Amino acid sequence: MQSATFNGSRKKSIVSVGGIEIGGDTLTIMAGPCAVESNEQTLRIAAAVFESGAQFFRGGAYKPRTSPYAFQGLEEEGLIILAEVRERFGLKIVTEAIDEKSLELVEQYADVIQIGTRNMENGALLRRAGRSCLPVLLKRGMSASVEEWLQAAECITSQGNPNVILCERGIRTFTQHSRNTLDLAVVPALQKSEIDFPVIVDPSHGTGKRFMVHPMARAGVAVGADGIIVDIHDRPEQALCDGEQALDFAEYNLMLKEVRAIHQVLNPVLAAA
Ligand code: PEP
Ligand code: MN
């Protein structure tokens, strides 16, 4: 079977996270709450992530919120809870660093350093992440062009850390029906660019609306993303952060079933490309 989308120029750069490959022929799933809220909440959600067969647990201990009155995260206490998730379930931890000080702590507890949309242009933070031994999940700045995003990635790689994973999380446009506009066309655009990094799609921040997350996750996989990062919560309506975009466990498991089926259909094509 031939595909115009995944043509012969498709490159496959792979980032290995403790032996788990991102960017190969497997579909990477990163799931968890927007924020680490408490030990109990985090472990309940981690159990669901583990049971789903996902390999990565996401959750923010540092939350760079737009409003100063919003929950800002449990900070190091949250990282300690994430370390417990890693220990108990063997899940790899993806969590955000917001400055050089938090990055130093994240390095001690996590497996992947997330750099969020608000920090994509923070040169000092990018360069510090470039001196880390851990892979970096670099979210797209909310108004960044592909070129600017790739330059931010190069700020990391230029310091010696080649392990960058890009994450499309939506950009600011004029639309009002969703929190951001998930720019899925950026996935083939990135795959065609000279510099090749694995690409993960975030349909949660990309839409901000629960009912849009599942269809956009399907679309992200269909367009060729290497994985999905998704907000889930056992009680989305009580979440301290971004509850309106969090899937409950039933919705999450249905989404997984469907994205895995889509990936399986595409995988022989991707593998042959
Ligand atoms: C997040 O993933 O929790 C987050 C804050 O994402 P973004 O930086 O894309 O807003
Ligand atoms: Mn969030």
Side-chain angles (χ1 to χ4, degrees), residues 57-72:
F57 185 80
R58 63 140 293 144
Y62 295 89
K63 299 304 306 175
R65 310 298 297 283
T66 301
S67 163
Y69 308 111
F71 177 59
Q72 307 288 319

Side-chain angles (χ1 to χ4, degrees), residues 25-273:
D25 290 332
T26 54
L27 181 68
T28 298
I29 302 294
M30 302 175 168
C34 181
V36 174
E37 298 171 12
S38 69
N39 191 277
E40 296 70 30
Q41 167 253 14
T42 307
L43 291 175
R44 277 195 305 269
I45 300 173
V49 173
F50 174 74
E51 276 162 32
S52 76
Q55 286 149 320
F56 291 84
F57 185 80
R58 63 140 293 144
Y62 295 89
K63 299 304 306 175
R65 310 298 297 283
T66 301
S67 163
Y69 308 111
F71 177 59
Q72 307 288 319
L74 296 181
E75 304 186 341
E76 190 170 6
E77 192 190 330
L79 293 177
I80 292 168
I81 296 170
L82 289 169
E84 190 177 338
V85 166
R86 175 160 67 171
E87 180 70 25
R88 278 215 203 178
F89 297 102
L91 292 163
K92 303 285 179 203
I93 304 298
V94 184
T95 196
E96 181 164 356
I98 54 170
D99 52 24
E100 293 168 75
K101 191 165 152 262
S102 59
L103 194 146
E104 247 142 62
L105 285 168
V106 164
E107 273 181 324
Q108 293 170 33
Y109 295 99
D111 300 288
V112 177
I113 302 163
Q114 178 174 320
I115 295 189
T117 191
R118 294 163 188 80
N119 273 312
M120 192 212 79
E121 291 179 272
N122 182 339
L125 183 61
L126 296 171
R127 284 190 295 276
R128 175 61 187 79
R131 294 192 294 274
S132 177
C133 299
L134 293 186
V136 180
L137 181 77
L138 179 63
K139 292 195 136 192
R140 181 182 184 180
M142 57 184 91
S143 57
S145 67
V146 170
E147 210 168 51
E148 289 161 343
W149 192 11
L150 288 172
Q151 279 170 3
E154 279 191 275
C155 280
I156 299 170
T157 58
S158 68
Q159 300 300 304
N161 184 353
N163 297 314
V164 174
I165 305 143
L166 299 176
C167 176
E168 163 59 29
R169 51 79 67 202
I171 51 172
R172 280 279 165 86
T173 69
F174 56 85
T175 55
Q176 294 183 346
H177 57 271
S178 58
R179 178 178 176 182
N180 292 294
T181 294
L182 189 63
D183 178 17
L184 291 179
V186 86
V187 176
L190 287 168
Q191 287 168 347
K192 208 169 185 301
S193 76
E194 284 302 303
I195 321 157
D196 181 35
F197 297 107
V199 190
I200 302 286
V201 163
D202 178 348
S204 308
H205 294 82
T207 64
K209 305 227 163 135
R210 184 173 307 125
F211 76 94
M212 293 182 178
V213 171
H214 182 168
M216 295 310 278
R218 287 193 303 242
V221 174
V223 84
D226 296 296
I228 296 292
I229 183 167
V230 63
D231 284 10
I232 68 168
H233 204 285
D234 57 326
R235 296 165 200 164
E237 62 295 336
Q238 285 171 32
L240 293 183
C241 181
D242 286 349
E244 58 294 345
Q245 70 191 30
L247 300 183
D248 65 25
F249 296 165
E251 291 166 327
Y252 165 62
N253 283 308
L254 180 62
M255 182 209 84
L256 269 191
K257 207 169 144 203
E258 295 189 1
V259 295
R260 284 177 173 149
I262 293 167
H263 183 257
Q264 218 162 27
V265 170
L266 293 172
N267 200 38
V269 179
L270 288 170

